[in-house]
Amino acid sequence: MSKPEIAAKAPCAVNVEKGKDYWWCTCGRSKSQPFCDGSHKGTEFTPMKYTADETKTAYFCACKQTKNAPLCDGSHKSL
């Protein structure tokens, strides 16, 4: 499997709404980070669905190296 592109070396803070679905970019190519804009077409990547369990600020991974996808786990600190 190919490695995703690093979109940024910091998480993206997003205000999410309980019960709403969000599609996290897994390839790192999207211009709408941290969400998918279809830039993965023609690659082996597909977006990951995230459904907010509560209304809050969520920190989505932008380096695409997290072990807690789609949320940031601090992996960007070691890049």
Side-chain angles (χ1 to χ4, degrees):
M1 180 173 200
S2 301
K3 289 192 173 200
E5 293 182 19
I6 297 171
K9 292 184 180 179
C12 298
V14 178
N15 293 321
V16 297
E17 296 176 36
K18 181 178 181 177
K20 187 173 176 185
D21 294 334
Y22 299 85
W23 292 93
W24 179 64
C25 166
T26 61
C27 71
R29 296 178 175 196
S30 176
K31 302 293 185 241
S32 301
Q33 290 296 329
F35 303 118
C36 178
D37 69 0
S39 294
H40 64 276
K41 288 184 172 57
T43 73
E44 61 197 87
F45 295 97
T46 57
M48 175 184 278
K49 182 180 177 183
Y50 170 81
T51 303
D53 57 357
E54 62 182 307
T55 297
K56 64 181 179 181
T57 300
Y59 294 88
F60 288 88
C61 175
C63 75
K64 312 304 176 185
Q65 308 301 307
T66 185
K67 303 290 187 262
N68 187 35
L71 303 176
C72 176
D73 69 357
S75 292
H76 62 275
K77 295 176 184 176
S78 64
L79 296 176

